[in-house]
Amino acid sequence: LKENYPTLINNTIQIGDVLFYVQDHSFTDRDMANVEIYLLIPTDSKIRGAEIFIIILLVCFIISGIIVSIIVTNKLLKNIAAPVAKLNSSVYEISEGNLSNEIAEDGADEIKELFRSVEKMRIKLQESVKNREITDMNRQTLISNISHDLKTPITTIKGYVEGIRDNVADT
């Protein structure tokens, strides 16, 4: 084999249309003669190159998928999850009756719109509470005035009745 193919390129030789991978095994037999055995394994370099390319492509695809998933997860956490958690705590405060804390917009456009809507709701609730307090004060004032206005004639009538009963007045 070495006489016919003095230089092997990448341990491969081509015989006819077939490409072989060559493995050289040397040993000494019982008679102390050097024996060389060459194993020829048929292979196709185009297939090997395609296999390597597919493996590299799959590895790149998996690595890029992992990187994209990490980036998307971070974006979601930053632009959606954190602002929603902040909004949740603000809504809890509103449900507990604390309407004084302003809700600042945060996050992506859709989340900012949600913040604006909740802030408008908070302002309207705050105005509603103020209007209810004013209405309650007006109601108490009205009841107090009616009570006072009714006490004066009742006191006068009571005085006349006591006068008639004590014979101070006869009519």
Side-chain angles (χ1 to χ4, degrees):
L1 188 66
K2 285 187 177 177
E3 296 89 27
N4 293 336
Y5 301 97
T7 57
L8 296 175
I9 301 172
N10 295 330
N11 287 337
T12 59
I13 60 170
Q14 185 163 354
I15 301 174
D17 292 332
V18 180
L19 185 66
F20 292 94
Y21 179 75
V22 178
Q23 284 186 344
D24 181 18
H25 296 281
S26 301
F27 62 92
T28 307
D29 68 355
R30 290 185 203 177
D31 300 327
M32 300 305 275
N34 287 336
V35 178
E36 290 188 17
I37 296 179
Y38 294 97
L39 292 175
L40 300 176
I41 303 168
T43 182
D44 187 357
S45 64
K46 292 180 183 176
I47 292 175
R48 277 191 91 127
E51 289 172 352
I52 293 171
F53 176 74
I54 289 172
I55 291 171
I56 291 172
L57 189 65
L58 285 174
V59 168
C60 289
F61 182 73
I62 290 170
I63 290 172
S64 65
I66 291 170
I67 290 171
V68 166
S69 110
I70 290 171
I71 291 170
V72 167
T73 301
N74 284 339
K75 288 280 188 184
L76 286 175
L77 286 174
K78 181 181 176 187
N79 293 331
I80 295 174
V84 168
K86 182 179 174 184
L87 183 63
N88 186 36
S89 67
S90 296
V91 169
Y92 178 76
E93 288 293 321
I94 290 172
S95 72
E96 292 294 314
N98 184 3
L99 300 173
S100 61
N101 293 339
E102 184 177 337
I103 300 172
E105 296 176 12
D106 191 13
D109 291 338
E110 295 85 3
I111 303 295
K112 283 182 181 178
E113 185 63 34
L114 182 61
F115 271 83
R116 281 187 221 112
S117 297
V118 172
E119 176 62 13
K120 285 179 186 177
M121 180 189 70
R122 182 194 69 82
I123 291 170
K124 287 190 178 196
L125 279 172
Q126 196 173 30
E127 290 172 357
S128 173
V129 166
K130 285 180 184 176
N131 287 340
R132 189 181 72 214
E133 288 173 353
I134 291 171
T135 303
D136 286 346
M137 285 178 27
N138 287 341
R139 183 179 303 123
Q140 286 177 352
T141 304
L142 177 66
I143 290 172
S144 175
N145 288 341
I146 289 173
S147 174
H148 177 71
D149 288 346
L150 287 176
K151 278 185 182 180
T152 303
I154 290 175
T155 304
T156 304
I157 293 170
K158 187 177 174 185
Y160 280 125
V161 169
E162 285 178 5
I164 292 174
R165 201 173 42 174
D166 292 341
N167 292 325
V168 174
D170 51 3
T171 58

